[in-house]
Amino acid sequence: MKRNTVRSSSSDSDNESNNASAPSSVKDKVVRESKKQRAKSSHINRAMRIGIFCLSVLWLACLLAMFVSIQREDTQTIGSHIHAVLNHSHFNSNWKEQHRLNNLRTVLNPATATAPDPKNAATKFGSKSDEYHNRADQAALAKVRHPIKITSTPSTTSVAANQFIDMRDLTATLPFDNPDGGAWKQGWDVGPKPLDPNNPLKVFIVPHSHCDPGWIKTFDVYFRSQTKGILDTIYNALKKDKRRKFIWAEISYFEWWWREQPKHVQETMTQIINDGQLEFVTGGWVQPDEANTQRYAIEIQLQEGHDWLRQTFGDHVIPKFAWSIDPFGYSPTMADILKDYGFQGMLIQRVHYAVKKELAQRKHLEFNWRQTYDDTGDHDIFTHVMPFYSYDVPHTCGPDPSVCCQFDFARINNGYGGCPWHKPAERITHANVARRSKLILDQWQKKASLYRSNVVLVPLGDDFRYRTNNEAEEQYNNFQMIFDYLNANVKGVQVQFGTLSDYFNAVRGTFQPPLLKGSFFTYADRDQDYWSGYFTSRVFDKALDRKLEQVLFAASAMGATPEEMREHRRSLSLFQHHDGVTGTAKDIVVEDYARYMHNAIENVQKWMVDKLKTNLNTSSLQPCWKASAPRSLGYFDCKLSQPAIVFNPLPIQQSCGDMIVPSHSAIQATLPCENAGPLKSDTTASSIIKFDPITGMMIEPFKEEWMVWKVRKGGAYLFFPGDQVKYLDHRKEKVTIQQNGFIVSTSKWERTIIQKKVPNEFGTGSATVLDFIFKTKLEIDNEEWFVRFNAPISNKGVFHTDLNGANFDTHHFRSDLPIQSQVFPMPTLASIEDSNQRLTVLSEHAQGTASLKDGTIDVWLDRRLLRDDERGLGQGVRDNVLTKTRFRLLLETENYDSDPSTEFEITQLCKAMWDELNHPLEIFGGVGNPTSLMGGLIETTEKMLHLDNNEKNKGSSEGNTNAVPFVFMVHDRVDYFKVAIESLRNSDFPKKLPLIISHDGHVPEMMEYVKSLKSEFNVIQIFHPHACYDHPHEFPADAPELNEGYEGDIYHNKRSPWATCAKHHWIWMTKTVFDMDFDIEESVESIFFIEEDYVVSPTIYSTIMQGLSLAVNDSKYFGIIFDRTNSGTDKAKVPHVRAGEQDWHEMYFKTGPFAIGRKTWQKVINARDVFCERDEYNWDWTLVYLMSQEVKEDLRLPYLVLVPSVIQVTHIGTEGMHGSKIGNSWSIPKPFHGTDVIHSVSHSPTKFKANGGFHHPKDIEHCKSILAPKWQLFA
């Protein structure tokens, strides 16, 4: 929606720059130093100016002669061409301005004076799925790499083709001054590009109508009152003349219009589309905001639009070019998405006016937008920036709006308020066509001079334009007369109606564009009017948006298809509109958006309940999250201490209390899943976490302050700071402190803190993780509430935020710029750091954030504004309601890179915490009698659940064993492991394949050694989350309280971690690796497991591949093993082998390294109750028991294995898994090349005596929770 409105009472150009003066120069020492440097070279500059003046005179003489010969009618145009000659010299000498800016950047930051090496590659967290509809569900935070700075080479022609622009560097150094540029107030006096008959200027006039799906009116009312008629008009206009073109962006409107059309209209419109007259651009459900949105939601709205286009017209209409003229700033995430979906180019408009000017002066308004993770340019997308103030007609034909407005023929007879420059629009006639055509041609040529090609894009439209047939005819007919005249009478120009693809196809390949990295936040349209308020406006609705995203994500994880979720996905998509999630619509429209989302949430929840009910013996299941009205705060409506069903939508495990919830699984648990206060298991919490006894504010490990901006102006879009005060000092309210400060409340502001456990795999003592849950109800006008977190961190003004939960942005605090310019969007994350620690704030919804002092992060909670900010909304923001905001704060001291020369990356711990916060457990209560549910929730079919990682890794056939990853289970015996790796290094194991190291704890020496292997092997480290090494006094290690009232195992032995730890690790490890998505080209059907105290033969991998080819498709085999002596325990029972024999033998499985396939592992999962309830501390002997005749046939494992006649693995230890001495009677096994099988065993084992040690109910329960198959309920 156009907020840069043309006013009738005064010049629009004045409105662009004269409200409040910006600083005339950068006021700090940096710029003074820059001026000194420029003064030193002034004598050189004077000499150069003399030379340039002489060249200008020569150019002037030549071009004057040319102009006389052409005998142009319009003296104004001749004057402009004369100016173009002088201006051409300006651009040719523009290297001086580049040199000045480089000097400034060098003074600001000497480290950025040259371009750093961009070769340091970083990868994204998670991978993108190739499956179209899974893309949004798979989106994750991305790593970024080293920034590339602007570099310039003096040139007398064009800027060097290999030039890079880093927006983070540019915004840290650009003066952001605002001198009066004349007709183009925010630019300069632009001269026209000369016409060349041998290389004609191609001008494409692109008719469009920007139709907001909600802003001043609701989506429905807009359609009925305006958009329906606009599309009728477009249809009528285009079918009259095939030379006419039009572009359309918002599929939400077009789909509705299409549904209401009779068949003959649909057929004619289809032909218009197929003929290329009507072109869809971007093709999303809406034109989304790019500041507050997550990648997940952006992709869903794009998919909804493309799905409809594909189903209605076919693949050929799917857009290849994107049109984004109204979002208030731009994110590289959108460029990344578009490239993923096959786009070739994109257009943007709302870029800070000073940035536009800088880019225009360098002819960098068209560039390849490169992702920070991309070293190769594979994700570059060609991008066009519109150069002027707005996207309306007065600001799109050229730099002088008073001229361009005269060619908005919808304003004839004072239509749309006429032109405010007192130069009315004039209908084209045969009498004036020559004069009028040359007048607008001059503007097109001036616009062309800002770009490096000879092609000009001129949009022709505005908000909700082409409402009547008469308006459309005025535009098309008058411009057609201009086209006809110019094409026939002026050499060197070709003009026509066009589409976005017409322009991009004509301009691409005509020059080498520069590369640009970074974002375009924070946007300002004029003066110091920064659009940083909308990052927080209507924060309740931003939170409601994320709730809908959460349930859609969960339903998809349960197996919901896009078709089943169609209506609800479209409700989410509608709100991604740049006046929806931004909070910049009228009150009635905000209510309407909330109604769509609230209904969608309830219906998605109902779908999940129905899906669960079909597999449960209950009819009373209900979602625990409820809301009584669209804009009322959701509440938890399940009884505590009662059983509930909790579903984990993530591919990683989560926790509900002490209960582990496996990935993509539903289990029965007892509520609550979390409690306010410190962790019960953290005995040091009281020394780490401290509160002010009077205010209740946290004071350690970092400070918490409730703050208020008392403002005097601003609105839904704009933030203008006023007085900053502390909330408790300002309001003088009674403070209630509970649980020593973990809960603090006043009448309007409440805060609860929950300490979160750091999963063992991320190390102990490396981080403190705390959830802050705020409930606020802002009822006082002109106040903006925020919380400030303050840590002893010297971040030196450097501040990081995320971009759409998919990338990161880096900001540099500037004291010379207004505070409102230092506020940035925070879709999910803000972070500061130094070499000692990093403070990161994660949020479950979007808001604004800033770091105005070293060591601080300010995060907005809500804002309430009495007045409008004159951007078209016509009201303030006063519909605040009770709102809940949840932050997760991480104070990390390890595992992050604080080097300022490298790109910011989050840690793996932060990534896991982000995942859990954004996709928490879905909880359902009212399950009735819990005993009736045992086993009630069964495994689902593929129809119910998307293919999991096991399925994705299968390949085309069950017998496909193209790749077999190796898994080493390690503890603390580094010397053993070094010998094992040396044997692997000398074997035929392909080093490109995954080498998985499963750690039984964070043993420093082991971790250091494994780190050294990463440059040689494709190492994947996993850490047992319940490692006894890391937590020796917690379950499943030594938890003495578990022996209270415990009668012991079958031998009456009390529970001991000596007996339980290794088995728990093995269970978790095997389940984890079979659930992995290995992200390799080969399929993975089988996996080889080995411990740290074994060496392998030179032919170990080929032996595995051969053995699996013999065993994997024969159901009688458990798998293959590699030592026929079972590590020396069965020397008397091994198959007889002749000297030199190279064959495979059948035998019983007992112990030792083995390779098994997914089918075998699934059988273990199916028999998990028997496995977990067996009182046997050895995992391998538990497997042997499952092969015995004591186990029911349908749960029994195959007892046969294949073993090579030549031993392929050798045990080098003298003790078991945790022994400490290397034996001296071992040697590296010899090669093996056998291919034939000798059948020698005919019956299964009969009966085995259990060894005990694994009988405690807690161990059994934990074992079952890990081995739970997808959607298996257990108590």
Side-chain angles (χ1 to χ4, degrees):
M1 179 54 59
K2 175 170 60 67
R3 281 90 196 163
N4 326 67
T5 51
V6 176
R7 302 181 185 177
S8 58
S9 59
S10 63
S11 166
D12 181 56
S13 299
D14 293 340
N15 289 337
E16 295 175 23
S17 60
N18 296 334
N19 277 355
S21 60
S24 59
S25 64
V26 181
K27 298 178 181 179
D28 58 17
K29 181 180 178 180
V30 169
V31 175
R32 290 197 297 271
E33 292 297 324
S34 180
K35 289 180 179 178
K36 291 178 182 179
Q37 290 189 21
R38 294 198 302 272
K40 291 180 181 179
S41 59
S42 61
H43 63 286
I44 299 175
N45 291 340
R46 282 194 296 271
M48 294 180 69
R49 284 197 295 269
I50 293 172
I52 291 169
F53 175 78
C54 294
L55 289 173
S56 300
V57 172
L58 291 174
W59 275 100
L60 176 61
C62 293
L63 288 180
L64 277 175
M66 179 182 70
F67 293 148
V68 170
S69 66
I70 295 176
Q71 296 183 349
R72 293 190 176 273
E73 296 179 27
D74 196 330
T75 58
Q76 178 183 355
T77 303
I78 294 175
S80 298
H81 279 276
I82 294 172
H83 182 84
V85 179
L86 298 173
N87 200 56
H88 183 67
S89 297
H90 163 75
F91 276 112
N92 283 344
S93 61
N94 197 39
W95 65 270
K96 291 188 297 182
E97 176 65 10
Q98 296 168 3
H99 179 67
R100 182 190 69 81
L101 288 172
N102 274 346
N103 284 343
L104 175 61
R105 293 185 180 97
T106 303
V107 175
L108 280 169
N109 186 1
T112 65
T114 58
D117 184 359
K119 295 179 181 179
N120 296 327
T123 57
K124 288 193 170 183
F125 285 111
S127 59
K128 298 190 185 95
S129 168
D130 290 332
E131 185 178 353
Y132 176 72
H133 286 110
N134 281 346
R135 281 176 173 166
D137 293 350
Q138 304 253 346
L141 285 176
K143 291 184 180 179
V144 286
R145 67 174 61 78
H146 205 69
I148 299 175
K149 311 299 181 183
I150 290 183
T151 61
S152 300
T153 303
S155 170
T156 57
T157 54
S158 63
V159 182
N162 62 347
Q163 190 156 25
F164 287 86
I165 307 160
D166 189 328
M167 289 303 300
R168 294 161 296 185
D169 177 56
L170 185 62
T171 56
T173 59
L174 195 65
F176 289 98
D177 52 2
N178 191 19
D180 190 334
W184 179 16
K185 286 291 184 182
Q186 295 171 335
W188 68 92
D189 192 4
V190 181
K193 175 180 285 190
L195 298 179
D196 180 359
N198 296 319
N199 183 23
L201 181 68
K202 296 180 181 178
V203 182
F204 292 99
I205 307 299
V206 182
H208 71 99
S209 183
H210 180 65
C211 297
D212 294 286
W215 180 43
I216 304 302
K217 303 175 183 178
T218 67
F219 173 60
D220 301 48
V221 173
Y222 264 141
F223 178 78
R224 292 297 180 194
S225 64
Q226 290 176 258
T227 314
K228 183 178 184 295
I230 291 169
L231 285 165
D232 288 341
T233 295
I234 295 166
Y235 168 78
N236 292 329
L238 295 182
K239 70 179 183 179
K240 287 184 178 181
D241 189 338
K242 289 188 177 294
R243 295 174 298 177
R244 296 176 176 182
K245 302 286 186 77
F246 204 91
I247 61 171
W248 188 266
E250 296 83 8
I251 304 304
S252 53
Y253 276 134
F254 196 91
E255 184 272 341
W256 192 345
W257 177 83
W258 180 266
R259 277 190 278 120
E260 295 188 351
Q261 300 311 308
K263 185 175 180 180
H264 74 276
V265 173
Q266 291 183 347
E267 290 174 347
T268 303
M269 181 59 92
T270 300
Q271 188 61 51
I272 289 171
I273 293 169
N274 290 338
D275 289 344
Q277 288 183 263
L278 177 64
E279 177 176 286
F280 296 107
V281 289
T282 310
W285 202 244
V286 297
Q287 196 172 119
D289 171 56
E290 298 184 25
N292 301 285
T293 45
Q294 286 208 89
R295 179 174 181 135
Y296 174 78
I298 296 175
E299 289 199 49
I300 283 181
Q301 69 81 31
L302 189 63
Q303 291 170 5
E304 284 304 306
H306 285 196
D307 280 352
W308 185 84
L309 289 173
R310 184 177 291 106
Q311 294 163 7
T312 307
F313 303 110
D315 285 335
H316 65 285
V317 304
I318 301 301
K320 295 299 181 185
F321 301 99
W323 172 266
S324 185
I325 58 174
D326 204 22
F328 325 134
Y330 298 96
S331 167
T333 304
M334 189 65 183
D336 194 41
I337 292 171
L338 293 172
K339 187 69 175 184
D340 274 349
Y341 283 76
F343 281 75
Q344 300 170 6
M346 60 185 296
L347 175 148
I348 59 177
Q349 151 62 22
R350 288 193 182 273
V351 172
H352 192 295
Y353 62 87
V355 174
K356 281 190 175 186
K357 181 178 179 180
E358 170 74 5
L359 295 178
Q361 285 177 328
R362 295 170 174 270
K363 294 191 178 183
H364 283 173
L365 287 168
E366 290 180 323
F367 48 82
N368 282 336
W369 204 342
R370 177 163 291 185
Q371 298 301 312
T372 53
Y373 68 84
D374 181 10
D375 277 339
T376 64
D378 290 343
H379 262 240
D380 289 0
I381 187 167
F382 184 74
T383 305
H384 174 100
V385 180
M386 295 171 62
F388 306 123
Y389 178 66
S390 181
Y391 54 81
D392 59 3
V393 178
H395 296 93
T396 51
C397 90
D400 190 341
S402 68
V403 174
C404 293
C405 190
Q406 299 173 48
F407 294 87
D408 185 356
F409 299 108
R411 297 177 190 257
I412 291 175
N413 298 325
N414 211 36
Y416 293 100
C419 290
W421 294 271
H422 310 297
K423 298 177 182 178
E426 183 178 341
R427 188 173 285 112
I428 303 300
T429 65
H430 291 292
N432 68 10
V433 64
R435 173 175 56 84
R436 303 296 290 175
S437 297
K438 292 172 185 176
L439 181 61
I440 195 171
L441 174 60
D442 176 63
Q443 290 297 306
W444 294 341
Q445 289 176 259
K446 289 176 178 178
K447 187 173 186 178
S449 72
L450 305 179
Y451 295 89
R452 296 166 67 183
S453 77
N454 215 33
V455 188
V456 181
L457 171 69
V458 182
L460 181 65
D462 202 344
D463 294 339
F464 294 97
R465 283 300 191 92
Y466 299 86
R467 299 183 191 179
T468 65
N469 292 330
N470 181 67
E471 177 185 345
E473 293 305 308
E474 288 283 11
Q475 299 284 35
Y476 281 115
N477 289 335
N478 282 284
F479 270 103
Q480 191 60 57
M481 290 186 68
I482 293 173
F483 300 167
D484 293 343
Y485 174 82
L486 291 175
N487 291 335
N489 296 283
V490 178
K491 295 181 179 180
V493 63
Q494 299 172 358
V495 197
Q496 67 177 72
F497 291 117
T499 62
L500 207 54
S501 63
D502 289 332
Y503 172 77
F504 278 112
N505 288 332
V507 76
R508 283 190 308 161
T510 60
F511 66 96
Q512 180 64 41
L515 299 178
L516 181 142
K517 290 189 176 185
S519 76
F520 292 95
F521 295 116
T522 293
Y523 168 64
D525 57 348
R526 59 184 185 239
D527 305 319
Q528 296 185 354
D529 294 7
Y530 283 85
W531 295 43
S532 49
Y534 80 94
F535 302 152
T536 309
S537 297
R538 271 58 177 262
V539 71
F540 173 89
D541 305 273
K542 289 173 166 63
L544 190 65
D545 161 70
R546 294 294 173 83
K547 181 60 183 180
L548 178 52
E549 290 183 43
Q550 288 173 8
V551 296
L552 280 170
F553 184 91
S556 177
M558 280 189 186
T561 66
E563 290 72 24
E564 289 176 295
M565 295 291 109
R566 181 70 69 209
E567 180 181 351
H568 319 313
R569 285 164 58 95
R570 289 180 177 179
S571 294
L572 175 68
S573 299
L574 187 66
F575 191 63
Q576 305 316 301
H577 167 55
H578 56 265
D579 283 308
V581 69
T582 54
T584 54
K586 289 279 192 183
D587 292 350
I588 190 173
V589 180
V590 172
E591 287 280 356
D592 191 57
Y593 284 136
R595 192 175 304 110
Y596 273 104
M597 290 190 289
H598 180 259
N599 291 340
I601 291 169
E602 288 189 334
N603 286 320
V604 175
Q605 288 179 322
K606 182 179 183 300
W607 183 95
M608 289 192 286
V609 167
D610 290 343
K611 185 62 68 173
L612 292 170
K613 280 182 178 180
T614 59
N615 297 286
L616 284 172
N617 185 21
T618 182
S619 60
S620 58
L621 201 64
Q622 303 221 355
C624 291
W625 186 94
K626 293 183 180 179
S628 59
R631 297 194 82 234
S632 66
L633 188 64
Y635 59 94
F636 194 81
D637 192 35
C638 287
K639 295 180 180 179
L640 301 182
S641 302
Q642 292 293 317
I645 304 300
V646 293
F647 171 66
N648 177 10
L650 288 174
I652 60 173
Q653 67 183 28
Q654 297 196 59
S655 299
C656 178
D658 294 331
M659 183 73 75
I660 297 297
V661 188
S663 64
H664 294 145
S665 299
I667 68 168
Q668 182 175 309
T670 300
L671 302 177
C673 288
E674 60 183 4
N675 289 292
L679 287 168
K680 294 180 181 179
S681 60
D682 189 351
T683 58
T684 64
S686 60
S687 63
I688 296 175
I689 304 171
K690 295 182 180 180
F691 300 92
D692 185 301
I694 298 175
T695 65
M697 298 294 99
M698 179 177 284
I699 55 176
E700 288 186 19
F702 45 80
K703 293 181 180 180
E704 160 202 17
E705 295 179 282
W706 298 358
M707 305 294 294
V708 178
W709 279 110
K710 297 283 293 180
V711 302
R712 285 172 287 279
K713 61 178 180 176
Y717 304 95
L718 308 183
F719 164 58
F720 289 98
D723 299 324
Q724 185 182 116
V725 296
K726 293 184 178 181
Y727 176 83
L728 294 179
D729 293 345
H730 169 57
R731 295 294 295 269
K732 304 295 184 183
E733 291 186 350
K734 178 183 176 181
V735 179
T736 301
I737 301 175
Q738 302 175 59
Q739 295 190 28
N740 298 319
F742 279 92
I743 301 177
V744 178
S745 60
T746 69
S747 62
K748 302 298 181 185
W749 193 325
E750 178 184 316
R751 186 268 291 138
T752 300
I753 296 177
I754 301 171
Q755 185 183 9
K756 306 297 290 186
K757 184 176 181 179
V758 176
N760 295 345
E761 59 263 37
F762 300 110
T764 58
S766 63
T768 300
V769 182
L770 299 167
D771 277 14
F772 283 69
I773 303 173
F774 291 93
K775 290 183 181 179
T776 55
K777 188 172 184 181
L778 177 52
E779 297 178 324
I780 300 177
D781 289 335
N782 295 330
E783 287 193 356
E784 307 204 14
W785 290 2
F786 65 99
V787 59
R788 171 170 291 167
F789 299 107
N790 191 335
I793 294 175
S794 179
N795 56 302
K796 299 179 181 178
V798 180
F799 177 49
H800 311 284
T801 56
D802 76 300
L803 295 162
N804 317 99
N807 208 335
F808 305 109
D809 212 353
T810 297
H811 318 283
H812 301 267
F813 179 75
R814 292 185 58 174
S815 60
D816 61 299
L817 295 180
I819 288 175
Q820 60 266 31
S821 71
Q822 310 294 295
V823 180
F824 301 98
M826 178 185 165
T828 65
L829 177 148
S831 187
I832 57 175
E833 66 188 8
D834 61 15
S835 60
N836 296 317
Q837 53 187 347
R838 169 187 285 182
L839 178 65
T840 301
V841 182
L842 304 176
S843 178
E844 65 179 358
H845 62 69
Q847 58 272 302
T849 186
S851 180
L852 304 178
K853 299 179 180 178
D854 254 22
T856 66
I857 298 178
D858 297 348
V859 188
W860 266 249
L861 294 173
D862 206 351
R863 58 196 308 263
R864 183 182 179 97
L865 292 311
L866 176 63
R867 299 178 182 84
D868 180 45
D869 50 13
E870 299 183 347
R871 292 307 185 276
L873 183 60
Q875 66 161 73
V877 178
R878 306 183 69 206
D879 56 350
N880 307 70
V881 295
L882 181 64
T883 300
K884 180 175 78 72
T885 298
R886 184 170 191 146
F887 300 130
R888 179 161 295 172
L889 275 77
L890 291 81
L891 189 63
E892 298 175 279
T893 58
E894 299 176 6
N895 304 321
Y896 68 91
D897 184 2
S898 61
D899 185 349
S901 67
T902 62
E903 286 282 1
F904 174 79
E905 300 174 4
I906 63 172
T907 63
Q908 290 295 331
L909 169 62
C910 185
K911 174 63 171 61
M913 293 295 101
W914 184 94
D915 284 337
E916 290 184 8
L917 186 65
N918 282 271
H919 302 295
L921 299 171
E922 294 293 326
I923 306 176
F924 305 88
V927 298
N929 181 6
T931 60
S932 68
L933 302 178
M934 295 296 294
L937 188 57
I938 62 173
E939 282 190 82
T940 61
T941 62
E942 289 183 5
K943 181 178 179 181
M944 179 176 178
L945 188 63
H946 283 320
L947 293 177
D948 61 18
N949 290 332
N950 293 347
E951 295 295 324
K952 287 191 288 183
N953 284 318
K954 276 188 178 178
S956 60
S957 67
E958 289 293 338
N960 188 345
T961 55
N962 288 337
V964 178
F966 279 28
V967 181
F968 273 91
M969 182 175 173
V970 302
H971 183 56
D972 61 354
R973 297 180 296 177
V974 181
D975 290 341
Y976 282 71
F977 191 46
K978 288 181 178 179
V979 176
I981 290 297
E982 185 61 27
S983 71
L984 186 69
R985 183 178 285 121
N986 295 320
S987 75
D988 59 353
F989 172 70
K991 292 183 178 180
K992 69 175 183 177
L993 295 184
L995 175 61
I996 303 164
I997 314 297
S998 183
H999 292 267
D1000 192 29
H1002 290 74
V1003 180
E1005 295 83 2
M1006 183 65 77
M1007 293 177 66
E1008 188 66 25
Y1009 176 63
V1010 172
K1011 183 179 179 181
S1012 71
L1013 300 177
K1014 292 184 176 181
S1015 62
E1016 181 181 2
F1017 294 95
N1018 180 13
V1019 173
I1020 299 174
Q1021 287 178 278
I1022 60 176
F1023 293 85
H1024 182 210
H1026 304 283
C1028 296
Y1029 178 91
D1030 288 340
H1031 299 277
H1033 303 298
E1034 296 179 21
F1035 175 84
D1038 186 14
E1041 69 276 6
L1042 294 181
N1043 279 317
E1044 297 175 5
Y1046 174 51
E1047 295 181 357
D1049 62 10
I1050 57 176
Y1051 302 106
H1052 306 292
N1053 294 314
K1054 291 294 186 179
R1055 184 185 182 279
S1056 169
W1058 175 88
T1060 59
C1061 288
K1063 186 172 182 177
H1064 280 304
H1065 182 188
W1066 184 88
I1067 295 166
W1068 173 86
M1069 171 190 69
T1070 313
K1071 177 70 161 56
T1072 298
V1073 296
F1074 270 112
D1075 282 349
M1076 275 188 179
D1077 181 357
F1078 291 103
D1079 196 24
I1080 59 176
E1081 293 181 2
E1082 299 92 341
S1083 63
V1084 175
E1085 174 59 20
S1086 300
I1087 299 174
F1088 173 57
F1089 295 89
I1090 188 170
E1091 296 178 0
E1092 65 189 3
D1093 54 352
Y1094 282 86
V1095 293
V1096 299
S1097 80
T1099 56
I1100 183 64
Y1101 192 75
S1102 58
T1103 300
I1104 290 173
M1105 299 302 286
Q1106 178 61 36
L1108 289 173
S1109 70
L1110 298 171
V1112 73
N1113 284 325
D1114 194 330
S1115 61
K1116 71 178 181 179
Y1117 293 119
F1118 172 75
I1120 56 175
I1121 63 173
F1122 305 91
D1123 180 358
R1124 55 192 174 85
T1125 71
N1126 277 317
S1127 298
T1129 63
D1130 271 348
K1131 290 182 179 179
K1133 300 179 181 180
V1134 300
H1136 176 70
V1137 176
R1138 300 182 305 274
E1141 179 182 328
Q1142 294 269 319
D1143 292 310
W1144 288 87
H1145 289 258
E1146 291 179 345
M1147 64 178 292
Y1148 300 130
F1149 170 77
K1150 185 175 180 181
T1151 188
F1154 63 87
I1156 61 172
R1158 295 185 184 278
K1159 283 185 176 181
T1160 298
W1161 178 245
Q1162 186 58 49
K1163 291 177 180 178
V1164 177
I1165 295 292
N1166 295 342
R1168 70 184 182 90
D1169 287 349
V1170 180
F1171 182 95
C1172 294
E1173 292 170 7
R1174 177 67 170 174
D1175 192 359
E1176 173 62 64
Y1177 72 90
N1178 295 293
W1179 59 264
D1180 43 9
W1181 278 99
T1182 309
L1183 291 174
V1184 171
Y1185 171 72
L1186 289 179
M1187 301 171 184
S1188 73
Q1189 294 181 11
E1190 292 184 49
V1191 177
K1192 292 192 301 183
E1193 186 175 355
D1194 60 337
L1195 296 177
R1196 193 180 305 156
L1197 297 181
Y1199 64 90
L1200 287 180
V1201 291
L1202 289 178
V1203 58
S1205 57
V1206 178
I1207 292 174
Q1208 294 293 285
V1209 297
T1210 299
H1211 188 244
I1212 62 175
T1214 59
E1215 303 176 52
M1217 172 65 184
H1218 293 166
S1220 58
K1221 295 170 62 178
I1222 298 179
N1224 54 17
S1225 60
W1226 61 271
S1227 61
I1228 295 294
K1230 296 179 179 179
F1232 173 75
H1233 303 287
T1235 58
D1236 296 326
V1237 177
I1238 297 176
H1239 304 281
S1240 54
V1241 180
S1242 58
H1243 58 85
S1244 67
T1246 55
K1247 192 172 184 178
F1248 289 90
K1249 185 178 181 180
N1251 290 304
F1254 201 88
H1255 191 59
H1256 195 285
K1258 185 72 173 179
D1259 290 304
I1260 296 172
E1261 176 188 59
H1262 185 66
C1263 172
K1264 289 182 179 181
S1265 72
I1266 295 174
L1267 292 180
K1270 309 297 184 186
W1271 292 88
Q1272 181 71 34
L1273 180 70
F1274 60 93

